[in-house]
Amino acid sequence: MKVKNLKLLATSDEDLKVISAHLQDAIVLPNEIANLKKNRIFLIQLNRFMWEDVEKGVFRKNKRTRTILKFDNVVSVSSKNVNTLNKKNFLDFLTIESKLLPDKSYEIKLIFSGNAIIKINTEVIDVTIDDQGSPWESKTTPKHNFL
């Protein structure tokens, strides 16, 4: 069976919301995050929970797949509560927030559980996610506690 890998491009705030929804509950090891300053590219390799597959029916198995989240035209990157040397504790992806700045550039925040945030300043919104390889079965479905 041929795997249909997801590939999405975001060039607007609305597009970023779609990417954010597809990345909900993805997990990443902080050492799988790279800021390529000379190339002005920021990359993260995540294990994405495939919500789109679960929603196809109650008898579908939970799956994850490797995906690359790429930001182009990056001006600067900063983070809070993210240790990129960490090789053991996953960050759980929650959402993406974006804001147009007065100079017409963008501030994009990647928000993870545990108050971990990566802030990326870009000239324009130019973001892709690109699934890599075949998905695998996940034993658990992410659960959220609501107030």
Side-chain angles (χ1 to χ4, degrees), residues 11-120:
T11 58
S12 69
D13 286 323
E14 289 302 312
D15 294 343
L16 277 179
K17 290 176 185 175
V18 174
I19 285 182
S20 181
H22 278 85
L23 291 176
Q24 175 69 45
D25 296 311
I27 55 177
V28 59
L29 285 171
N31 69 335
E32 294 180 332
I33 299 171
N35 182 19
L36 308 177
K37 292 179 186 178
K38 285 185 180 179
N39 298 22
R40 299 179 54 194
I41 294 171
F42 182 77
L43 298 166
I44 303 180
Q45 183 172 273
L46 305 110
N47 293 338
R48 183 175 73 79
F49 189 82
M50 297 176 68
W51 284 109
E52 72 276 13
D53 200 53
V54 171
E55 292 172 356
K56 288 180 183 174
V58 293
F59 299 112
R60 295 280 182 158
K61 293 184 179 179
N62 298 326
K63 293 181 185 171
R64 285 194 180 270
T65 189
R66 296 292 267 176
T67 196
I68 303 293
L69 173 63
K70 179 183 176 191
F71 292 80
D72 284 303
N73 302 297
V74 173
V75 176
S76 65
V77 177
S78 60
S79 65
K80 174 182 160 187
N81 297 326
V82 177
N83 178 359
T84 56
L85 301 176
N86 182 338
K87 296 180 181 179
K88 294 182 180 176
N89 297 322
F90 283 99
L91 295 171
D92 296 314
F93 181 88
L94 297 177
T95 193
I96 298 175
E97 293 178 355
S98 64
K99 176 170 70 171
L100 180 63
L101 300 174
D103 67 356
K104 303 296 183 202
S105 66
Y106 288 87
E107 176 184 276
I108 301 171
K109 289 183 181 177
L110 306 179
I111 308 208
F112 300 89
S113 63
N115 201 27
I117 298 171
I118 298 173
K119 183 172 71 171
I120 304 162

Side-chain angles (χ1 to χ4, degrees), residues 5 36 58 62 108-109 123 132-133 136 138-139 142-143:
N5 288 339
L36 308 177
V58 293
N62 298 326
I108 301 171
K109 289 183 181 177
E123 292 177 350
Q132 307 290 307
W136 65 90
S138 175
K139 293 180 179 150
K143 296 194 181 355

